[in-house]
Amino acid sequence: MEPQQRSPLLEVKGNIELKKPLVKAPSRLPLLGSRFKRGPDQMEDALEPEKKRTRGLGTATKVATSYPRAPALTTVPQAQGQTAAPKVPKKTAPQRSTSVATVLKNQKPGPAVPAKKPVTAAAPPKPGGKKPSKRPAWDLKGQLCDLNTELKRCRERTQTLDQENQQLRDQLREAQKQTTALGAERRTLEGELDRVRAQAEQDQRELGNLSARVLELEEWLGTQEGLVQGLQKEQLELQEERRGLVMRLEEQERRLQASEAALSDSQAEVASLLQEAAAQVALLAERGERLHGLEMERRRLHNQLQELKGNIRVFCRIRPVLPGEPTPPPGFLLFPSGPGGPSDPPTHLSLLRSDERRGTLSGMPAAPTRHDFSFDRVFPPGSGQDEVFEEIAMLVQSALDGYPVCIFAYGQTGSGKTFTMEGGPGGDPQVEGLIPRALRHLFSVAGELSSQGWTYSFVASYVEIYNETVRDLLATGTRKGHGGECEIHRAGPGSEELIVTNARYVPVSCEKEVEALLHLARQNRAVARTAQNERSSRSHSVFQLQISGEHTGRGVQCGALLNLVDLAGSERLDPGLALGPGERERLRETQAINSSLSTLGLVIMALSNKESHVPYRNSKLTYLLQNSLGGSAKMLMFVNISPLEENVSESLNSLRFASKVNQCVIGTAQANRK
């Protein structure tokens, strides 16, 4: 047997007894006013017993009878020659002692610890080593001083006892906390012991059942041995076979249990995956709704931004000086800074024109005339193709949102229109034109929108209008160069869509297909040599991309037409004519070009003035672009300018025409959605 554990509270109690007596309550000093009201004789009589008792105690501690001490919690044995502290009535003891006694009663007994005897402070010796003599009855002041001295000593003693009492109370509280913790631990261990005992009893019962079963089997075997002595060999074989079957059965049972456990785990995992998949589907549907809403909001804000910029905008681009061309004089072309300084993109252009035929009265040539123009954006000669496309990329994306878009390149021959639209030769990515860049941008954005449920298809066509005759630039074989077969008609009765009969409409889905179409179109386009350019385009080329988008999950469809037009040279009759046998043919080409360009200007003016009749049919160009010029479309015109001083007259004509177009305002564009 292990020795019985000692209660922590009893250990604390023993420690308290070893130190100092525990004071149950702080001493309370009675009022002394009643003693001071007595006469000298009465006061002396009252003090006489106290003095006698003091003389009887010797070196023991003096305790005033009027200030009783609180008794300690435990009985402390007193040494010989010491006086016991007077008992205090029970009503002065604090109520805590009852709870302490209850706790002590509930604790298990432990080995007693001998308590140390309290050491009381010795009374301070009298000066001179002599006992104070009794003061006469008339020495009230001396008696009062003695009483005050005695009172001070009693108060100091009371304060010391109060501090000791407080310390003991703190120790008692700590002991109670430890007792509570040990009691909880004891209850926990008892509960664990009960569980272990119950388990042991159950195991004992099972052992008894197994023992009984073993006895029964042994009896049965004994009985059977007597009956099957003749068949012992067969029995041994059957036993061997039985053992093999038992082993196989156990193996099958183990495999079955493992399979059931694996199946249970798999079913739990499948259930968890199904729940997760359902949550993911719900989250995906929620995000799809939010993404669709954000996409619609983006389209609305994108269209609003394009409308704020203007549904018809004009950009001016000045090509750089080519090798072999004369350098223009300083100040010929100026690009004033915008309101924000040089950091703002330029929007103004100043052109100086000097006329040698004009002069002053003194015979000196007249000062050059300055012509100022303002556009939505001006691209100086150093601007690259990427910078130009970056400015129109958002407009191209509007076609993907369902808004018809038409982009023109206008200017005289040799001003860089074809370079702007198709790019330079050699396949250099840095000099790619707007057509390949626009289609690459559309393919990329359409791929991004496919994750949101949108599917897009693109169909391209490329025609030219030469002398008011429509030709298919994508024609191959025997149809190549036959323009009379192509006519502009409506797609069907009551339909607003226009198509070109006998023209090839090629589905495209990648950049390589677009490059092949552009290469074929360059070979088929009508060009001729003029005085201003060795290889001048004598026709309007129109690249059309039909865009169809559908969101099958929401039943939303949108469609739009993107038109990228490279207009023929806008020069007047004289500068562009080349001498030779083909002069009349060049003259007829120039007249047809100027007529169609004039009709384009009249159509834009009529749309801006909200006229009831718009002369679309006056030109094949405007008739083909009819659905991309109205109030439901967005238009952008590039006016291309030559930097050479010899072309200043044609440059001024182009800038003036572009300024008129820039002043036009067309109604709000509407998306083609179903």
Side-chain angles (χ1 to χ4, degrees):
M1 295 295 290
E2 296 181 358
Q4 187 173 6
Q5 295 182 356
R6 186 182 181 189
S7 173
L9 185 60
L10 293 178
E11 292 180 0
V12 174
K13 181 178 177 183
N15 295 334
I16 294 173
E17 292 175 352
L18 292 174
K19 293 180 179 179
K20 293 181 180 181
L22 179 62
V23 180
K24 290 186 177 180
S27 301
R28 298 179 181 177
L29 299 176
L31 297 176
L32 303 176
S34 59
R35 297 180 62 181
F36 296 131
K37 292 180 180 180
R38 299 177 182 177
D41 298 334
Q42 296 176 352
M43 186 175 298
E44 182 180 359
D45 295 339
L47 293 175
E48 185 65 22
E50 183 68 24
K51 293 179 180 180
K52 291 178 181 180
R53 285 192 297 271
T54 302
R55 287 193 299 268
L57 291 176
T59 59
T61 305
K62 291 184 178 181
V63 179
T65 58
S66 59
Y67 310 107
R69 286 181 56 190
L73 287 177
T74 57
T75 304
V76 180
Q78 297 179 355
Q80 294 181 0
Q82 292 182 343
T83 59
K87 295 184 180 180
V88 181
K90 294 183 180 180
K91 63 181 179 179
T92 60
Q95 297 180 358
R96 189 183 302 271
S97 60
T98 305
S99 60
V100 173
T102 304
V103 175
L104 294 175
K105 183 178 180 180
N106 293 333
Q107 296 295 329
K108 296 181 179 180
V113 178
K116 294 182 179 181
K117 297 179 181 181
V119 180
T120 56
K126 297 294 182 178
K130 297 181 180 181
K131 297 181 180 179
S133 60
K134 183 178 180 181
R135 296 182 182 272
W138 53 265
D139 191 3
L140 296 178
K141 185 174 182 179
Q143 294 178 8
L144 181 59
C145 290
D146 294 340
L147 290 174
N148 287 336
T149 302
E150 185 68 21
L151 177 61
K152 183 177 181 180
R153 284 196 301 270
C154 291
R155 285 178 178 176
E156 291 176 354
R157 179 61 179 169
T158 301
Q159 185 176 3
T160 302
L161 294 176
D162 288 344
Q163 292 177 357
E164 295 176 356
N165 187 16
Q166 184 63 33
Q167 293 177 359
L168 294 175
R169 287 178 184 274
D170 294 341
Q171 295 176 2
L172 178 60
R173 281 194 293 271
E174 184 66 25
Q176 290 175 349
K177 291 180 181 178
Q178 295 180 1
T179 302
T180 304
L182 292 174
E185 184 178 359
R186 178 180 60 82
R187 287 191 294 272
T188 303
L189 294 176
E190 288 177 353
E192 185 67 23
L193 180 60
D194 293 339
R195 285 193 295 272
V196 172
R197 287 176 178 173
Q199 184 66 30
E201 292 176 358
Q202 183 178 358
D203 294 342
Q204 189 67 27
R205 286 193 298 271
E206 291 180 357
L207 181 60
N209 294 335
L210 292 175
S211 300
R213 179 60 178 167
V214 168
L215 293 176
E216 292 177 0
L217 291 176
E218 289 178 352
E219 292 177 359
W220 180 80
L221 286 175
T223 304
Q224 293 298 322
E225 286 176 356
L227 297 176
V228 295
Q229 291 180 356
L231 303 175
Q232 190 172 7
K233 292 182 179 180
E234 184 179 358
Q235 181 183 8
L236 293 175
E237 294 176 357
L238 292 175
Q239 287 179 353
E240 290 295 333
E241 184 179 357
R242 178 177 173 275
R243 291 192 188 95
L245 292 175
V246 168
M247 292 178 63
R248 290 177 59 187
L249 179 61
E250 291 177 352
E251 180 66 22
Q252 293 296 332
E253 288 180 351
R254 287 194 295 269
R255 292 177 60 184
L256 179 60
Q257 291 177 357
S259 299
E260 289 178 351
L263 179 61
S264 177
D265 295 340
S266 300
Q267 290 177 348
E269 185 177 359
V270 169
S272 176
L273 291 176
L274 289 176
Q275 293 179 357
E276 185 177 356
Q280 293 293 335
V281 169
L283 180 61
L284 186 62
E286 180 183 356
R287 290 186 177 179
E289 289 285 343
R290 182 180 178 186
L291 193 60
H292 179 72
L294 293 176
E295 174 63 19
M296 293 296 103
E297 181 68 11
R298 183 202 65 77
R299 294 189 178 192
R300 185 185 68 81
L301 295 176
H302 177 77
N303 179 57
Q304 185 177 0
L305 176 62
Q306 298 302 316
E307 289 177 357
L308 291 175
K309 292 182 178 180
N311 282 335
I312 178 169
R313 286 178 280 171
V314 178
F315 291 170
C316 178
R317 186 180 188 187
I318 297 89
R319 72 167 177 84
V321 178
L322 301 178
E325 293 180 342
T327 304
F332 175 65
L333 287 173
L334 299 177
F335 306 97
S337 302
S343 60
D344 281 359
T347 57
H348 295 79
L349 171 67
S350 297
L351 188 145
L352 295 180
R353 180 180 184 182
S354 59
D355 192 351
E356 296 179 355
R357 294 175 298 180
R358 297 174 56 194
T360 60
L361 295 177
S362 61
M364 299 296 293
T369 304
R370 177 174 176 175
H371 301 273
D372 296 327
F373 299 94
S374 178
F375 301 103
D376 294 287
R377 178 70 190 273
V378 175
F379 295 97
S383 301
Q385 295 281 67
D386 53 347
E387 182 180 356
V388 175
F389 178 75
E390 183 180 357
E391 193 67 27
I392 70 165
M394 302 298 289
L395 183 63
V396 172
Q397 189 169 344
S398 295
L400 207 63
D401 297 339
Y403 297 92
V405 176
C406 188
I407 300 176
F408 299 97
Y410 176 86
Q412 70 177 103
T413 300
S415 59
K417 303 185 301 298
T418 305
F419 179 81
T420 299
M421 300 305 295
E422 297 183 6
D428 186 2
Q430 298 296 328
V431 295
E432 282 184 339
L434 299 185
I435 295 177
R437 291 177 183 269
L439 268 69
R440 183 187 303 116
H441 180 72
L442 291 176
F443 293 153
S444 175
V445 177
E448 295 175 359
L449 292 177
S450 63
S451 61
Q452 303 179 17
W454 286 93
T455 57
Y456 285 91
S457 61
F458 304 92
V459 179
S461 65
Y462 210 165
V463 299
E464 71 171 351
I465 301 174
Y466 176 75
N467 286 342
E468 290 301 303
T469 302
V470 181
R471 295 181 177 181
D472 185 11
L473 294 179
L474 303 181
T476 57
T478 57
R479 294 181 57 253
K480 189 173 182 179
H482 294 77
E485 300 177 0
C486 298
E487 295 294 337
I488 303 173
H489 295 290
R490 296 193 179 276
S495 175
E496 296 294 331
E497 182 181 357
L498 295 175
I499 62 173
V500 179
T501 60
N502 297 323
R504 287 183 63 197
Y505 287 86
V506 183
V508 292
S509 59
C510 62
E511 302 175 20
K512 292 184 178 180
E513 297 175 354
V514 176
E515 292 176 359
L517 296 181
L518 294 179
H519 180 70
L520 180 61
R522 291 192 195 100
Q523 295 177 351
N524 295 338
R525 188 171 182 184
V527 295
R529 179 182 181 277
T530 65
Q532 295 187 0
N533 197 0
E534 186 67 23
R535 181 180 173 86
S536 174
S537 300
R538 309 306 299 160
S539 63
H540 308 301
S541 67
V542 181
F543 179 87
Q544 290 186 321
L545 185 68
Q546 296 179 358
I547 305 173
S548 301
E550 182 180 6
H551 195 295
T552 56
R554 303 182 182 277
V556 180
Q557 296 179 353
C558 64
L561 190 64
L562 174 63
N563 300 273
L564 300 172
V565 184
D566 180 11
L567 298 175
S570 63
E571 62 271 2
R572 291 171 294 180
L573 294 179
D574 293 341
L577 293 179
L579 300 178
E583 181 178 355
R584 291 185 179 181
E585 183 67 21
R586 300 287 83 78
L587 177 61
R588 192 163 66 89
E589 291 175 356
T590 304
Q591 289 175 345
I593 292 171
N594 290 338
S595 175
S596 61
L597 293 179
S598 299
T599 304
L600 178 62
L602 292 176
V603 168
I604 295 176
M605 294 298 176
L607 292 172
S608 176
N609 297 332
K610 305 293 188 298
E611 297 180 4
S612 58
H613 173 69
V614 181
Y616 289 118
R617 292 181 176 267
N618 290 359
S619 169
K620 293 290 183 68
L621 175 66
T622 55
Y623 185 44
L624 178 61
L625 301 177
Q626 177 178 349
N627 295 332
S628 300
L629 297 177
S632 62
K634 300 177 183 293
M635 287 187 290
L636 173 64
M637 174 180 286
F638 275 98
V639 54
N640 294 82
I641 301 300
S642 171
L644 304 181
E645 189 177 13
E646 61 186 24
N647 297 328
V648 63
S649 179
E650 292 296 336
S651 299
L652 284 174
N653 290 334
S654 300
L655 292 172
R656 287 165 181 163
F657 177 79
S659 296
K660 291 181 181 179
V661 175
N662 195 31
Q663 294 173 1
C664 298
V665 178
I666 300 180
T668 304
Q670 300 293 331
N672 297 326
R673 296 200 186 101
K674 299 178 183 180

